[in-house]
Amino acid sequence: MKIGIIGGTGDIGEGIALRVSDRHEIILGSRDPAKAVETAEKIIDILKERGITGNCRGTTNEDAVKEAELVVISLPFQHVASTLAGINPEYFENKIVISPVNPMERKDGCFMYCPPDEGSAALAIKKMLPESARLVTAFNNIAARKWAKLDVILDYTVAVTSDDAEAKKKVMEFVSEISKLQPVDAGKLDVACIVESLTPLTINIAQNSKLKDLSIYMK
Amino acid sequence: MKIGIIGGTGDIGEGIALRVSDRHEIILGSRDPAKAVETAEKIIDILKERGITGNCRGTTNEDAVKEAELVVISLPFQHVASTLAGINPEYFENKIVISPVNPMERKDGCFMYCPPDEGSAALAIKKMLPESARLVTAFNNIAARKWAKLDVILDYTVAVTSDDAEAKKKVMEFVSEISKLQPVDAGKLDVACIVESLTPLTINIAQNSKLKDLSIYMK
């Protein structure tokens, strides 16, 4: 599968490329395509050292969406609207789009969940995409830094939400391919706000507990 | 420590009594004190079979608060206001009060988090109590049915919030005495909404996954 990652030079982009580019074609997008090319080369080198052939390249965000079958929006929420505005909406038509985006702000040393008026990043992003795009939330609660450390086993629960049952199922299958991630069906997009809000909570807990990179496991 | 439990005949009340009445004095309150007495006797019998002496008795909700040093409000959110209105507020003065309350409603087969105008059950309950009461949220995300099964090890993370740092610390110590619960400092009461909202999320996930009694572990 061709997977295009908007903001692909961040932790999630690198992490997905490192962990699945042996099986999938990963297209890292960036507003700075030279940086995306450099990141892709770095990933190929890391995998090569382990005897793995990675299929990964860097380009613009628009190209990454255009060429992909599945798109991941790996951006801070405040950059989503401006970035999507720079991409021809036709390129999203009928594609599965994954949002791991968590809108949050720091206030008095504590992270607060700050959703837009729509109620969640997911519901806001849905409005920015063409109607045929199949939005799914996933990967919201995995500590960013754990993604790119290939030796870290990701033994976490990934709560997946979508209004499109088939797209949700496909994303859950994709999630289950990565490390030891356990996808679970958390419902429709209207509960994405809960999943998104969990990340500022775990960041605060990690900070207060002097723990690091806390993620969620449900059992 | 004398621990009074409002709504003490429910799963959390029974669970706390079963799990700590060997070390603490547990006072189960109920609007039906005969039922509380019966529950307390049942708990003492269960512990006796295991060679444990439980210190547990049943009474009215008001008496449970009056006699306790620490109070747990173990009620569905929609019964909190009317129950607290029937208890002399002086009995709460200067006491630590734990809220494990999660306001939620079922809609189209799915549980939604439905906080009151204050933003969370915790912030609403704070307004119902005298100012000197020291409100702490804890135990929100432990599946109710796991509490009362004494053989089930509770190896979960308990996110604790409060505006009173000392009360929070004391509650965290209390949490850590129970089974293998791991208390973590999740911040002030203004983030209790996130912790409360996690419970409808895990219930929905359990339902969609045909899993049972999901609880949260952070790692």
Side-chain angles (χ1 to χ4, degrees):
Chain A
M1 187 162 54
K2 286 187 185 180
I3 300 170
I5 303 176
I6 303 174
T9 60
D11 291 302
I12 296 183
E14 274 195 45
I16 290 180
L18 279 167
R19 292 173 187 271
V20 304
S21 70
D22 58 334
R23 281 158 285 163
H24 298 288
E25 185 178 338
I26 307 297
I27 309 153
L28 300 179
S30 174
R31 56 184 170 174
D32 177 355
K35 202 180 158 199
V37 168
E38 194 185 308
T39 302
E41 284 168 358
K42 189 183 82 179
I43 285 160
I44 286 171
D45 285 347
I46 292 172
L47 292 173
K48 206 173 181 180
E49 278 174 29
R50 295 172 184 243
I52 300 164
T53 306
N55 188 346
C56 176
R57 61 197 161 86
T59 182
T60 62
N61 282 320
E62 187 171 58
D63 254 18
V65 177
K66 186 181 174 187
E67 298 188 27
E69 296 161 83
L70 182 151
V71 177
V72 181
I73 301 176
S74 173
L75 294 169
F77 181 65
Q78 63 269 29
H79 297 153
V80 172
S82 59
T83 306
L84 295 190
I87 298 173
N88 184 340
E90 280 180 19
Y91 297 155
F92 285 104
E93 294 278 4
N94 303 306
K95 290 182 183 171
I96 294 176
V97 179
I98 297 180
S99 167
V101 181
N102 306 310
M104 54 188 180
E105 280 167 31
R106 198 166 183 174
K107 198 183 131 191
D108 303 332
C110 168
F111 283 87
M112 302 295 288
Y113 178 56
C114 298
D117 291 343
E118 288 82 0
S120 64
L123 291 173
I125 290 170
K126 193 178 162 76
K127 275 174 134 180
M128 298 174 200
L129 296 173
E131 219 173 311
S132 72
R134 309 165 76 188
L135 188 65
V136 179
T137 68
F139 304 129
N140 297 73
N141 308 134
I142 298 169
R145 279 181 297 215
K146 284 189 173 162
W147 270 109
K149 294 178 186 161
L150 203 45
D151 295 320
V152 172
I153 292 170
L154 302 177
D155 189 14
Y156 303 115
T157 304
V158 175
V160 181
T161 76
S162 182
D163 294 339
D164 179 325
E166 199 197 321
K168 178 155 63 175
K169 199 174 158 225
K170 284 190 180 168
V171 170
M172 289 176 70
E173 282 165 13
F174 175 60
V175 171
S176 69
E177 285 182 27
I178 301 172
S179 195
K180 288 197 174 178
L181 292 180
Q182 294 126 40
V184 288
D185 179 352
K188 295 199 172 183
L189 281 186
D190 59 1
V191 300
C193 54
I194 303 178
V195 181
E196 294 175 3
S197 73
L198 252 168
T199 293
L201 182 79
T202 52
I203 294 175
N204 292 334
I205 289 171
Q207 193 171 276
N208 296 339
S209 317
K210 310 215 184 297
L211 294 167
K212 268 190 181 173
D213 303 328
L214 273 188
S215 302
I216 297 286
Y217 183 75
M218 294 182 192
K219 60 179 183 177
Chain B
M1 186 162 55
K2 287 187 184 178
I3 299 169
I5 302 176
I6 303 173
T9 59
D11 290 303
I12 296 182
E14 275 196 44
I16 290 180
L18 279 167
R19 292 173 188 270
V20 305
S21 70
D22 57 335
R23 282 157 285 164
H24 299 287
E25 185 178 338
I26 306 297
I27 310 151
L28 300 179
S30 174
R31 58 185 168 170
D32 176 357
K35 201 180 158 200
V37 168
E38 194 185 307
T39 302
E41 284 168 357
K42 187 182 82 177
I43 285 160
I44 286 171
D45 285 346
I46 292 171
L47 292 173
K48 206 174 181 179
E49 279 174 28
R50 295 172 184 243
I52 300 165
T53 306
N55 188 344
C56 176
R57 60 199 161 85
T59 180
T60 62
N61 282 320
E62 187 171 60
D63 253 19
V65 176
K66 185 181 175 188
E67 298 187 28
E69 295 160 83
L70 182 150
V71 177
V72 181
I73 301 176
S74 174
L75 294 168
F77 181 66
Q78 64 268 30
H79 297 153
V80 172
S82 59
T83 306
L84 294 189
I87 297 173
N88 184 339
E90 280 180 20
Y91 298 153
F92 284 104
E93 294 279 2
N94 304 306
K95 289 181 183 172
I96 293 175
V97 180
I98 296 179
S99 166
V101 180
N102 304 310
M104 54 190 178
E105 280 168 31
R106 198 167 183 176
K107 196 183 132 191
D108 302 331
C110 169
F111 282 88
M112 302 295 288
Y113 179 56
C114 298
D117 290 343
E118 289 82 359
S120 64
L123 291 173
I125 290 169
K126 193 178 161 78
K127 275 174 133 180
M128 299 174 199
L129 297 173
E131 219 173 310
S132 71
R134 308 165 77 187
L135 187 66
V136 179
T137 69
F139 305 127
N140 298 71
N141 308 133
I142 299 169
R145 278 180 297 214
K146 285 191 172 161
W147 269 109
K149 294 176 186 164
L150 203 45
D151 294 319
V152 172
I153 292 170
L154 302 177
D155 188 14
Y156 303 116
T157 304
V158 175
V160 181
T161 76
S162 182
D163 294 340
D164 180 324
E166 200 197 320
K168 179 156 61 175
K169 199 174 158 224
K170 284 190 180 166
V171 170
M172 287 175 71
E173 282 165 13
F174 175 59
V175 171
S176 68
E177 286 182 27
I178 301 172
S179 195
K180 288 196 174 179
L181 293 180
Q182 294 126 39
V184 288
D185 180 351
K188 297 199 169 182
L189 281 187
D190 59 1
V191 299
C193 54
I194 303 179
V195 181
E196 295 175 2
S197 72
L198 254 169
T199 293
L201 182 78
T202 53
I203 294 175
N204 292 334
I205 289 172
Q207 194 170 276
N208 297 339
S209 317
K210 312 216 182 293
L211 295 167
K212 268 191 181 171
D213 304 329
L214 273 189
S215 301
I216 297 286
Y217 183 74
M218 294 182 193
K219 61 180 182 176

